[in-house]
Amino acid sequence: MNIRFVLVFFLAWVSFSGFSRQARISGIVTDTDGVPLELVSVQMEKSAFGAFTDEKGKYALNAPKTDSCVLVFSCLGYAKTKRIIFSLTDDMTVNVRLKKTDFELDAVTVTTGRQPSNMMENIQTDRNRLNVDATGGSIESLVVTAGMGVSSSNELSTQYSVRGGNYNENIVYVNGIEVYRPILIRSGQQEGLSFINPDLVAEVAFSSGGFEARYGDKMSSVLDVTYKKPEKSEGGVTGSLLGGNVYTGNSSGKFTQITGLRYKRGTTLLKTLDEKGDYNPTAIDLQTHMTYALTPKLNLSFLGNYSENTYDFIPTNRETSFGTMDVPRKFEVAYDGAEKDQFKTLFGAAILKYDITEHADVALQASAFQSTEQENYDLAGQYWLSNVLSEDEKEITGTGSFMNHARNYLKTDVMSIALNGSFGFNQNTIRWSLAWQKEKNNDRIREWELRDSMGYSLPHDEETLRVYSNLFSKNNVTSHRFSGYLQDTYRFRTEMGLFSITAGIRGSYWNFNEEFIFSPRASMRFIPSRNENFVFRLAAGIYYQAPFYKEFRTVVEDYSGNNTIYLNSSIKSQRSIHYVLGSDYKFKFDNRPFKFTTELYYKKMDHLVPYTVNNVRIDYYGSNVSHGYSTGIDMKLFGQFVPGTDSWLSFSLMEARQYIYGEKVPMPTDQLYNFTFYFNDYAPYISDKRIQVNLRTIWAGGLPFSVPGGEYKYTRSIRTPPYRRIDIGMTYRLLDENDRVRDYSVWRYFKNVWVGIDAFNLFGIKNVSSYSWFADTGGIMYAVPDKLTGRQLNFKLVAEW
């Protein structure tokens, strides 16, 4: 017993004496603006003692006590800095500020100083309100041009597809909480405002694939948005022909708040459509983000949103030209009736976060989402199909009438509670989460279309009057989801360079179909020591598309020809296995910085649910009957095409195919190529750069569009023409912070004021969003294109205080 006691005492003494001969060095590393920097290497020169800074810029390391030593601070994009410690005899704090190198590109410098994670890219948004954009300056529109592998073929919508996925396969987070969009939306005209308020945004991170396990169950992409936490009073107002928005933020001790109000009215843009009438769309959105420090370690935050979107439309007539140069055709309609749709959304989320230590925290978050959607329309029309013989002469080839009716109602409630946290030790960062979610959907769908061609109803039946199409639904469903994840990010440096490896697993259970899914994911980021201008990335993982309400609705036709929606409790999650290989290369040309990014990807998909796309409405088959793949390459060149301002161009090649009942067919999102170009310039001969011009160009391959015919609509398709559009805008800065006029009158309350003019669709190319099918006198069906907007001018005013 005495021997054991002596041995334990000896070991404790040795350990204590070893520890007593060490000193703890800790501190915070920031940039010159005081913004914390992550992933800064802190190394004691000529020794193995070192550490990395965390997301808050903090570091800590234990080192042997000595007379003097040198600490080396290094980070990609910042000048290496050394600090000499003349006597390391006790614990001490060393705070350092790093200067940016002239090689750093503005748009990849995050406002909070964070380095991007392995597969996430950071997108700069500080000038977004000045950019030309038909949606009114949405974050999603910026992602379409700045994100890798992202495409959009509808300027009226903020929805986008990523690498062969549809709109519903993209997950969006605001402050770590998933947000949703209305389900019944059929067209971009109805859409209104997206959830994200660009005036409130501090950071935007985006991944086109291979993202971490902490991001939820979607197959294509993740958009992670963080709202501002103001440090001082700020605000701004924007007004244009499309609508307006105003925001204000402030900080007072323990409390911060930022609140924004948006209003959209796109009447002027919708008047350029082929379908003429009285358009009266209005959308209003109110959001607030508030934080309160209960104690130095305990913080409470709240995110609230109310939005209401009303779409009133009384159509009068339509005239659409189509066909070929040899056989030009025209489709004309005289309308009667009206449409009135309304979409209301309420959202609230609270997060209580406790910082256990400098490197560990835990948070409890609760959120609730409610959407109430109504579609009501009674539209009748008489149509004429004709061949155009000359400018004043045409030959009628078909005539008929139609009547469309809908009384659709959907209410969705989503509630969730999650407990998550993180802690760091050595060179590891562990993240984890446990979550519960309740979903409740209540729908009443009743819609039908009646067509009459040359006095005969379509489809023609000698005994019964049949409608062209119909849909009925009366469903109530409540379900629960349980999910969680665990992941580790390990960072280390060797003689080869800096490595960052993230690996984790995500799991969930849904009681509606009693399905368990598990998603292992891993990624690696490598910066070689020999040339830190290169960054290499590699990722692989399994990604599930957990069914939401639209995916598990299946349509069944009864003996009388009525189509009724039933809920398929045997539905399974769609699955996609991602393989991504990418690289960044930073270089200088003509003494200007550039970055060239390339990513190769392959996605193997199974348990797919076929679907069709009509404008922005996605209709699912309701069963897992197909499998497929998507593969391609994305390239982007970013840099100062003009000195002092950032521009970028992207080019993608892709193939997306699926097998339905053994037949290989293109997916509805199969877009062979996609080219985007965003260009910024300043007016020459004006030294203070008051006049800025920006150009937005999209040229993308045509998309498959399904033809009528029951189940054949999933395997038979035609392609739309290529989507081609150029928008150009010019802004003039009336006032900046250095103007002397700010000393007088009301101008002293403003920091910056701009006026601008935009030309949407500069060349007036009316792109095609979908097709409608009509028959001539011989029963031949024609695909009449539903065209998008034409050329339109927009005027805007932007002010900041």
Side-chain angles (χ1 to χ4, degrees):
M1 187 70 178
N2 292 335
I3 296 177
R4 290 182 181 178
F5 175 78
V6 172
L7 182 60
V8 170
F9 178 81
F10 175 74
L11 292 175
W13 178 81
V14 170
S15 300
F16 176 78
S17 61
F19 180 78
S20 65
R21 290 196 296 270
Q22 289 188 332
R24 176 183 173 86
I25 307 174
S26 61
I28 299 177
V29 182
T30 64
D31 63 10
T32 51
D33 296 323
V35 178
L37 295 176
E38 183 187 10
L39 277 182
V40 177
S41 172
V42 184
Q43 194 77 22
M44 181 174 285
E45 196 172 54
K46 298 179 181 180
S47 78
F49 298 97
F52 288 95
T53 57
D54 61 14
E55 294 180 356
K56 300 175 183 178
K58 297 180 179 180
Y59 74 93
L61 61 93
N62 293 319
K65 295 180 179 180
T66 181
D67 292 337
S68 65
C69 64
V70 178
L71 287 181
V72 181
F73 298 82
S74 60
C75 181
L76 181 65
Y78 294 84
K80 184 180 291 186
T81 301
K82 294 184 178 182
R83 288 289 182 269
I84 300 175
I85 300 175
F86 292 100
S87 178
L88 182 58
T89 57
D90 294 304
D91 296 348
M92 63 186 312
T93 300
V94 179
N95 297 326
V96 173
R97 293 191 174 216
L98 299 184
K99 295 181 179 180
K100 296 177 185 175
T101 60
D102 354 347
F103 202 75
E104 185 69 12
L105 295 175
D106 291 341
V108 295
T109 303
V110 188
T111 55
T112 61
R114 290 186 184 176
Q115 295 289 337
S117 62
N118 294 352
M119 300 306 298
M120 301 290 286
E121 60 176 321
N122 297 303
I123 298 176
Q124 186 182 10
T125 64
D126 56 348
R127 297 181 182 178
N128 191 49
R129 61 173 58 92
L130 300 180
N131 294 339
V132 57
D133 177 21
T135 66
S138 67
I139 294 298
E140 292 87 347
S141 178
L142 183 62
V143 169
V144 167
T145 60
M148 298 287 288
V150 185
S151 66
S152 174
S153 299
N154 190 332
E155 65 271 10
L156 294 174
S157 172
T158 57
Q159 303 305 310
Y160 53 87
S161 60
V162 180
R163 293 177 176 174
N166 67 42
Y167 314 136
N168 293 333
E169 295 174 14
N170 307 312
I171 194 166
V172 179
Y173 288 93
V174 174
N175 290 355
I177 300 170
E178 183 179 359
V179 297
Y180 302 88
R181 61 185 291 263
I183 294 175
L184 293 182
I185 294 288
R186 292 179 292 108
S187 65
Q189 294 93 302
Q190 299 172 300
E191 199 167 285
L193 293 160
S194 72
F195 183 92
I196 303 169
N197 186 332
D199 289 334
L200 312 188
V201 170
E203 301 175 29
V204 174
F206 179 78
S207 174
S208 302
F211 42 90
E212 303 168 8
R214 65 188 173 115
Y215 296 115
D217 297 314
K218 296 287 186 178
M219 290 201 301
S220 290
S221 73
V222 58
L223 178 61
D224 191 0
V225 176
T226 303
Y227 277 180
K228 296 177 183 176
K229 185 178 177 181
E231 297 181 355
K232 57 183 180 179
S233 295
E234 62 175 276
V237 61
T238 302
S240 74
L241 297 182
L242 299 178
N245 47 282
V246 60
Y247 84 97
T248 180
N250 68 282
S251 174
S252 55
K254 299 180 179 181
F255 177 76
T256 71
Q257 71 81 29
I258 186 166
T259 302
L261 176 67
R262 292 180 291 165
Y263 174 77
K264 182 177 180 181
R265 181 177 171 83
T267 304
T268 56
L269 195 60
L270 296 181
K271 285 183 177 179
T272 64
L273 296 169
D274 285 351
E275 220 167 29
K276 305 302 181 183
D278 183 11
Y279 286 96
N280 187 25
T282 57
I284 188 168
D285 178 276
L286 176 65
Q287 291 190 38
T288 184
H289 176 226
M290 296 181 286
T291 67
Y292 184 75
L294 298 171
T295 70
K297 291 189 174 184
L298 186 63
N299 291 274
L300 177 65
S301 64
F302 173 77
L303 175 64
N305 166 249
Y306 170 78
S307 68
E308 181 175 335
N309 175 25
T310 302
Y311 178 71
D312 293 343
F313 178 42
I314 303 176
T316 56
N317 65 287
R318 170 181 172 177
E319 185 175 306
T320 300
S321 298
F322 67 108
T324 64
M325 294 289 291
D326 296 330
V327 187
R329 293 188 171 90
K330 183 173 287 188
F331 177 71
E332 298 170 278
V333 183
Y335 287 104
D336 188 20
E339 177 176 0
K340 185 178 180 64
D341 308 323
Q342 189 176 65
F343 307 90
K344 290 184 178 180
T345 298
L346 284 170
F347 176 83
I351 301 176
L352 185 64
K353 183 180 178 183
Y354 179 66
D355 294 324
I356 303 170
T357 66
E358 292 182 350
H359 305 285
D361 60 64
V362 64
L364 176 66
Q365 67 182 40
S367 66
F369 166 83
Q370 183 181 89
S371 174
T372 305
E373 309 175 38
Q374 298 182 56
E375 273 189 320
N376 299 283
Y377 56 80
D378 287 289
L379 298 173
Q382 181 80 23
Y383 72 86
W384 297 267
L385 278 168
S386 59
N387 291 332
V388 179
L389 303 179
S390 66
E391 187 174 342
D392 301 318
E393 186 179 2
K394 59 186 177 183
E395 175 190 11
I396 301 296
T397 60
T399 182
S401 60
F402 60 86
M403 181 178 292
N404 295 334
H405 167 89
R407 295 294 184 270
N408 297 335
Y409 171 86
L410 173 64
K411 184 178 181 181
T412 301
D413 292 281
V414 179
M415 294 177 288
S416 67
I417 297 175
L419 182 67
N420 51 62
S422 67
F423 61 94
F425 63 95
N426 297 331
Q427 297 166 357
N428 296 267
T429 300
I430 305 292
R431 297 178 184 270
W432 59 271
S433 177
L434 295 172
W436 164 81
Q437 181 168 294
K438 179 183 178 181
E439 301 163 7
K440 184 178 180 181
N441 294 281
N442 177 6
D443 78 359
R444 300 293 183 269
I445 307 296
R446 186 178 180 85
E447 63 180 60
W448 50 262
E449 179 180 1
L450 176 67
R451 286 196 186 180
D452 182 285
S453 178
M454 301 299 292
Y456 293 95
S457 63
L458 298 176
H460 181 61
D461 191 312
E462 295 289 347
E463 300 180 357
T464 307
L465 178 64
R466 299 186 62 184
V467 296
Y468 185 77
S469 65
N470 61 60
L471 193 62
F472 302 94
S473 174
K474 186 178 181 180
N475 291 301
N476 297 287
V477 60
T478 301
S479 62
H480 301 266
R481 298 181 195 265
F482 303 88
S483 62
Y485 73 84
L486 177 66
Q487 75 173 43
D488 178 28
T489 298
Y490 177 57
R491 306 176 182 91
F492 62 96
R493 184 184 290 275
T494 68
E495 293 182 357
M496 295 177 59
L498 176 65
F499 290 84
S500 176
I501 299 175
T502 299
I505 186 167
R506 184 179 188 88
S508 67
Y509 170 77
W510 188 31
N511 75 328
F512 181 77
N513 62 354
E514 299 181 346
E515 179 188 32
F516 289 93
I517 55 176
F518 294 96
S519 303
R521 308 172 189 177
S523 61
M524 182 182 73
R525 184 167 176 257
F526 171 61
I527 304 174
S529 298
R530 290 188 175 182
N531 191 342
E532 291 191 346
N533 295 323
F534 280 100
V535 178
F536 299 96
R537 297 181 302 278
L538 177 66
I542 299 176
Y543 297 83
Y544 285 93
Q545 179 81 13
F548 201 63
Y549 186 62
K550 291 188 71 172
E551 285 96 326
F552 61 87
R553 300 192 312 174
T554 183
V555 179
V556 178
E557 183 177 356
D558 62 20
Y559 65 91
S560 60
N562 292 321
N563 293 311
T564 304
I565 295 176
Y566 293 96
L567 304 182
N568 180 11
S569 60
S570 300
I571 194 81
K572 298 299 180 185
S573 297
Q574 302 177 84
R575 183 174 66 176
S576 177
I577 304 176
H578 291 197
Y579 303 95
V580 184
L581 177 64
S583 67
D584 298 330
Y585 174 56
K586 293 185 179 181
F587 64 96
K588 277 193 174 182
F589 177 77
D590 195 21
N591 204 34
R592 285 173 283 156
F594 289 87
K595 183 178 77 167
F596 181 68
T597 300
T598 305
E599 285 192 359
L600 295 164
Y601 64 90
Y602 178 79
K603 299 197 293 187
K604 180 183 178 182
M605 296 174 278
D606 54 17
H607 302 158
L608 296 181
V609 180
Y611 61 90
T612 61
V613 180
N614 189 346
N615 203 299
V616 298
R617 174 173 172 170
I618 299 176
D619 292 319
Y620 288 90
Y621 181 73
S623 298
N624 308 92
V625 297
S626 70
H627 64 278
Y629 67 89
S630 173
T631 185
I633 181 173
D634 299 322
M635 295 168 285
K636 182 170 76 172
L637 178 64
F638 178 94
Q640 293 187 5
F641 291 39
V642 173
T645 183
D646 299 328
S647 304
W648 59 88
L649 61 86
S650 302
F651 182 69
S652 300
L653 294 173
M654 183 190 69
E655 181 181 76
R657 296 288 189 270
Q658 64 179 334
Y659 295 85
I660 303 177
Y661 298 121
E663 184 176 356
K664 184 178 180 180
V665 297
M667 289 184 175
T669 52
D670 178 51
Q671 198 165 49
L672 177 61
Y673 62 90
N674 184 35
F675 171 79
T676 61
F677 180 39
Y678 206 97
F679 178 73
N680 281 300
D681 196 3
Y682 292 105
Y685 312 115
I686 299 180
S687 59
D688 60 356
K689 300 180 179 179
R690 285 186 177 268
I691 298 179
Q692 179 178 334
V693 178
N694 56 82
L695 180 77
R696 185 177 188 265
T697 302
I698 298 179
W699 191 318
L703 294 168
F705 188 83
S706 61
V707 302
E711 292 187 0
Y712 288 107
K713 67 182 179 181
Y714 299 104
T715 58
R716 303 289 185 269
S717 63
I718 59 175
R719 280 191 182 266
T720 64
Y723 183 87
R724 296 165 295 168
R725 183 179 176 91
I726 295 179
D727 300 328
I728 188 169
M730 182 179 69
T731 57
Y732 176 75
R733 189 171 60 200
L734 286 173
L735 178 75
D736 71 12
E737 297 179 84
N738 300 317
D739 287 346
R740 292 183 178 179
V741 71
R742 293 185 69 249
D743 298 332
Y744 307 99
S745 188
V746 297
W747 295 113
R748 66 179 181 271
Y749 298 108
F750 295 92
K751 291 194 301 183
N752 296 287
V753 178
W754 296 269
V755 292
I757 181 172
D758 300 325
F760 299 139
N761 198 355
L762 182 63
F763 294 110
I765 301 173
K766 288 199 169 185
N767 295 290
V768 176
S769 65
S770 58
Y771 288 95
S772 299
W773 297 85
F774 292 90
D776 65 6
T777 55
I780 299 176
M781 299 292 289
Y782 288 91
V784 180
D786 299 320
K787 297 184 178 180
L788 292 166
T789 59
R791 185 186 296 111
Q792 179 66 33
L793 291 178
N794 179 52
F795 300 93
K796 61 186 176 185
L797 172 69
V798 180
E800 295 176 345
W801 60 78

